Amino acid sequence: RLLNGSVWDPLVVESSQLPHVALRQSIANAASPTPPPPQSPDAGGGGGGDAERTPVAAVHVRQGDSCDRKVDEPGPWNAMWRPDPKRPGKLTREGVGRRCYSWRVYRQQLQTLRAKYGVRTVLLATDDHTGEVVRALQGERDFNWVYLDYPRQQFRKRAWMEFRSDLDENAPFSLAAELELLSTADIFVGSMGSHTSRSVYMRMVSSSRTSQLPPFISVDG
């Protein structure tokens, strides 16, 4: 949606709405917003060649219990385990811990998709407990944002989510809802070292209306 003809208004969806026909219509409307004035190919804006329908991107901003240290640059290959040089065929725990990536890293990849594919609408999922990612969207003007509104404070890193007993129903149901939401996108940005990112992408593949794999960018190589 456009405000004052130039500023994207984020579409915030209550988690209780998913899955729901009304939500699907909201996503469809967000994916085909009132088009801005046509741009020349050299104007720098995305989607100028096809203002009626541009691809929708999904982005999974991984934080939460996977974040041992935050970095501002993408890559390299990121995992909890690595091959043990002293024991062929065995794995050892990564000593420096897993990296998570700042919002800046994901935004750079979305700008790449905007330039290459004309992406203007982004479906976002994140377990950022600080609210930093969602707050950053309020100042973004290049995309139309769609995300779920639910309390994320409980995702602050304490222990692995699988072993915590202090989580409420938002933890499992928000994940199921975000999988449903992001699966409707055409292109994906995430962290393929994450089970959640891989699940989102596989859900996108199974939901695809074509025989082609959806394009994706993994921030961790």
Side-chain angles (χ1 to χ4, degrees):
R1 292 176 292 182
L2 288 172
L3 294 179
N4 301 324
S6 61
V7 179
W8 291 118
D9 176 25
L11 173 62
V12 183
V13 181
E14 294 290 342
S15 58
S16 59
Q17 289 181 256
L18 274 168
H20 196 275
V21 174
L23 171 74
R24 294 182 185 279
Q25 186 60 49
S26 297
I27 295 172
N29 292 341
S32 300
T34 304
Q39 297 177 339
S40 68
D42 298 327
D50 185 9
E52 292 298 324
R53 175 67 170 90
T54 57
V56 175
V59 57
H60 171 226
V61 181
R62 180 194 194 192
Q63 304 286 320
D65 66 338
S66 67
C67 188
D68 294 319
R69 57 195 179 103
K70 185 178 289 188
V71 295
D72 286 324
E73 298 295 335
W77 182 76
N78 185 29
M80 185 189 307
W81 305 91
R82 61 179 174 82
D84 188 338
K86 299 180 180 179
R87 300 182 300 163
K90 301 293 185 179
L91 297 176
T92 185
R93 183 70 184 265
E94 180 63 65
V96 295
R98 288 179 294 176
R99 291 175 293 274
C100 64
Y101 301 88
S102 67
W103 169 239
R104 173 177 172 272
V105 174
Y106 292 91
R107 189 184 185 283
Q108 287 175 339
Q109 309 311 316
L110 289 173
Q111 290 290 356
T112 297
L113 297 181
R114 183 173 184 259
K116 187 174 183 62
Y117 297 105
V119 168
R120 291 184 310 198
T121 299
V122 180
L123 314 180
L124 178 138
T126 183
D127 56 358
D128 168 39
H129 76 277
T130 68
E132 176 183 344
V133 172
V134 171
R135 285 194 300 272
L137 303 186
Q138 308 309 313
E140 297 285 355
R141 296 294 181 264
D142 291 336
F143 300 98
N144 187 28
W145 303 98
V146 183
Y147 59 92
L148 299 184
D149 185 22
Y150 63 91
R152 293 175 168 86
Q153 293 86 346
Q154 63 186 316
F155 296 140
R156 182 170 65 88
K157 183 170 182 175
R158 295 174 183 167
W160 286 5
M161 301 289 286
E162 297 90 329
F163 304 117
R164 288 176 55 182
S165 60
D166 60 331
L167 302 174
D168 64 23
E169 67 276 4
N170 283 294
F173 287 119
S174 64
L175 176 58
E178 287 177 331
L179 283 172
E180 181 74 13
L181 174 64
L182 270 61
S183 70
T184 63
D186 305 299
I187 306 172
F188 181 63
V189 176
S191 169
M192 287 305 191
S194 160
H195 289 300
T196 300
S197 279
R198 294 196 301 271
S199 295
V200 169
Y201 186 72
M202 288 187 287
R203 185 75 173 81
M204 289 175 60
V205 171
S206 66
S207 302
S208 174
R209 296 183 294 274
T210 74
S211 59
Q212 298 178 332
L213 293 175
F216 73 91
I217 297 176
S218 178
V219 297
D220 54 3

